[in-house]
Amino acid sequence: MPFDPSVGFSPWHLSGVVYGTLLNDPASLAALGAAVEKPPYKAPPQAPVLYLKPRNTLSGPGSVIHVPAAATSVRAGVSLGIIIGRTACRVPANAVDNFIAGYTVVNDICLPHDNFYRPSLRFNARDGFCPIANARIAAALVSDPDALATRVWIDDEPVFEGSTGGRIRSVRQLVADVTEFMTLQPGDILLLGAGAGAPLAADGQRIRVEIMGIGSMENRVEREESR
């Protein structure tokens, strides 16, 4: 299904701009071990590690995720999508709620990789690598965006359980830290980031992602040659 920015809670219209966040789960950062102190990293990140999910990556429920010929699988990263409601620039954490319109479910697909320094577009920005659920829940209806259970199923088998909580940067802190150095526009989506241990899916498998209280979405995986 092609990306439709008009679907969802009226009058929201997504801008088509999606920013991904890496290493926001302490376990993901810890997995780098001593490497985080060595080149190319040289030190743990002091600011959010962001990457762009361009318009070519955007799709919706039921869309096909293609595994390129040189790969055997894709990584399925269920992530809370923070939908910006007002132009946000240098917003303090205690005022962030005034700038969030709501939340959605995003399957932040990437190719498996181990190097997170200056995130590579070729791993994260392939066609269809950012399915966005149709469900968009108003921020006022979500009592605590940092306490939502997240789940992933592969072919109806549960393979991942996590939470939006326990992150290095909470929803509010992430928005505050990002808007310290860049402006977010209405309709932009900022991803909280996938939890450590995001599962792999291969050709012929179905991925279902869910965030409790927000929504769920299913997509299937096919090899690129089958286009």
Side-chain angles (χ1 to χ4, degrees):
M1 179 182 296
F3 170 67
D4 183 355
S6 67
V7 172
F9 186 90
S10 181
W12 295 351
H13 293 276
L14 302 183
S15 67
V17 177
V18 179
Y19 299 101
T21 304
L22 280 175
L23 302 176
N24 197 27
D25 185 332
S28 296
L29 187 58
L32 293 176
V36 78
E37 301 289 350
K38 300 175 182 179
Y41 307 105
K42 299 182 180 180
Q46 300 302 306
V49 181
L50 301 182
Y51 54 95
L52 185 65
K53 302 292 279 194
R55 184 170 286 273
N56 69 291
T57 69
L58 307 184
S59 62
S63 63
V64 174
I65 299 165
H66 288 101
V67 181
T72 58
S73 60
V74 295
R75 191 173 301 280
V78 58
S79 181
L80 183 68
I82 306 162
I83 305 172
I84 303 302
R86 296 168 53 194
T87 300
C89 180
R90 297 185 178 89
V91 180
N94 61 6
V96 163
D97 287 355
N98 297 320
F99 293 82
I100 297 177
Y103 302 97
T104 189
V105 179
V106 177
N107 191 353
D108 186 5
I109 298 291
C110 69
L111 296 180
H113 58 285
D114 297 320
N115 190 337
F116 303 102
Y117 182 73
R118 294 180 180 174
S120 174
L121 286 177
R122 68 190 179 94
F123 295 135
N124 294 292
R126 303 186 74 90
D127 292 353
F129 268 29
C130 188
I132 300 173
N134 288 339
R136 298 173 197 169
I137 306 301
L141 301 178
V142 181
S143 59
D144 187 354
D146 297 306
L148 305 173
T150 62
R151 297 187 178 92
V152 180
W153 290 263
I154 304 293
D155 290 340
D156 298 323
E157 291 293 327
V159 293
F160 177 86
E161 289 191 5
S163 170
T164 58
R167 301 305 173 92
I168 294 173
R169 290 177 174 85
S170 66
V171 168
R172 294 174 181 86
Q173 194 62 54
L174 180 64
V175 174
D177 287 354
V178 169
T179 61
E180 176 64 26
F181 61 85
M182 61 185 281
T183 300
L184 297 175
Q185 300 291 344
D188 290 355
I189 294 179
L190 176 63
L191 303 186
L192 182 64
L200 299 177
D203 177 32
Q205 294 188 309
R206 291 177 290 110
I207 306 169
R208 182 186 173 200
V209 295
E210 179 184 49
I211 300 179
M212 293 297 291
I214 305 298
S216 64
M217 171 176 54
E218 185 170 299
N219 300 87
R220 74 181 188 277
V221 178
E222 293 181 2
R223 291 204 62 80
E224 202 166 50
E225 298 92 342
S226 63
R227 285 188 181 186

